[in-house]
Amino acid sequence: YLHLDSARDVSPGIADPNGQKMEKNPLRDARVRRALSHAINRDALTERLLSGQARPAGQYTPTGLPGSNPRLQPDKYDPVLSQKLLKEAGWGDGFSVVLAGSNDRFPSDAQVTQAVGQMLARIGIKTDVQTMPAAILFSRGSKLEFSAFLSGWVGTGDPSSPLVALMASYDPKKGMGPSNRGRWSNADFDATLEKALRTLDTDKRNALYGDSAEIAVKDMGV
């Protein structure tokens, strides 16, 4: 997943195409976040860099497992659509971003981050890729030092795990969103997730998890 700073007007790793700091953060616009998603060739990543030992993901729980949503599929690689979305959002000339990633956590993690950076560059997003040990990445990410960083989630096996940790609005008192380092927040998502967490019937609870995921995916929470 790519965590993107969707909360702050001024974000530390965002600049104009010439490298000048900006007072506006394009990642706050869901159209820009979706443009980045369609710029990523997931099939190429899984087949070439990950030797076919991975599958493109369109949601937070693997397809077919309890809590997954059959309506959610991986975004298609479509750089033309990406550029269209950027123009619609007012960023047709692009911008530059620092993209951070780990270099010791997953197989080929640094290479995947570099490849994603190159894909974003093809749609006009000048990308400065910086990789580092995961311990440093997460420590700095928790201090909100990044505008964008790439990582992965190893959950508990329960579908609530990534939804609570990565997607819920950050609220330490409630224990919600502890790993939400992009500070994405959506009231409908939070309400649906909280309803799921209070639901005892397994099938109804898993359906609500799927509904929660759909809200987050449509708004490009990550």
Side-chain angles (χ1 to χ4, degrees):
Y1 66 87
L2 273 173
H3 247 152
L4 303 171
D5 181 356
S6 58
R8 293 176 288 183
D9 288 326
V10 178
S11 192
I14 297 288
D16 69 19
N18 298 317
Q20 299 298 312
K21 294 295 182 182
M22 299 189 300
E23 297 299 314
K24 189 174 182 180
N25 175 10
L27 298 178
R28 298 199 66 182
D29 192 317
R31 293 170 295 182
V32 173
R33 301 195 296 271
R34 186 164 296 283
L36 270 59
S37 181
H38 282 292
I40 298 172
N41 189 334
R42 292 162 172 78
D43 290 330
L45 293 176
T46 57
E47 293 169 8
R48 299 171 193 168
L49 284 180
L50 300 174
S51 303
Q53 302 299 305
R55 288 182 296 175
Q59 56 186 307
Y60 316 106
T61 296
T63 302
L65 293 184
S68 64
N69 186 326
R71 296 185 296 274
L72 298 176
Q73 300 298 324
D75 279 346
K76 299 294 184 183
Y77 173 57
D78 191 341
V80 174
L81 176 58
S82 292
Q83 291 172 326
K84 179 176 181 289
L85 289 167
L86 288 175
K87 289 179 181 178
E88 287 179 359
W91 296 98
D93 293 332
F95 55 91
S96 64
V97 63
V98 174
L99 172 61
S102 61
N103 56 18
D104 64 351
R105 189 163 186 244
F106 296 108
S108 303
D109 51 359
Q111 292 90 333
V112 169
T113 307
Q114 289 283 356
V116 169
Q118 292 169 7
M119 292 171 185
L120 299 184
R122 294 184 190 127
I123 63 165
I125 309 301
K126 185 178 180 181
T127 308
D128 176 12
V129 175
Q130 300 179 7
T131 61
M132 61 201 72
I136 296 175
L137 178 76
F138 291 128
S139 176
R140 293 183 60 189
S142 294
K143 297 173 185 175
L144 307 185
E145 293 184 13
F146 302 125
S147 297
F149 78 87
L150 188 149
S151 190
W153 181 253
V154 180
T156 63
D158 189 272
S160 67
S161 174
L163 300 174
V164 169
L166 297 176
M167 309 312 307
S169 295
Y170 181 71
D171 189 338
K173 291 182 179 180
K174 290 184 176 181
M176 302 299 280
S179 298
N180 182 348
R181 298 180 175 96
R183 294 297 194 263
W184 176 79
S185 181
N186 182 295
D188 290 339
F189 171 86
D190 289 336
T192 306
L193 176 59
E194 288 180 10
K195 184 178 180 180
L197 294 170
R198 296 193 304 267
T199 299
L200 298 179
D201 182 276
T202 300
D203 290 339
K204 291 181 180 178
R205 183 173 65 252
N206 285 334
L208 286 166
Y209 285 145
D211 292 341
S212 301
E214 187 165 7
I215 294 169
V217 168
K218 285 186 175 180
D219 197 40
M220 298 307 298
V222 298

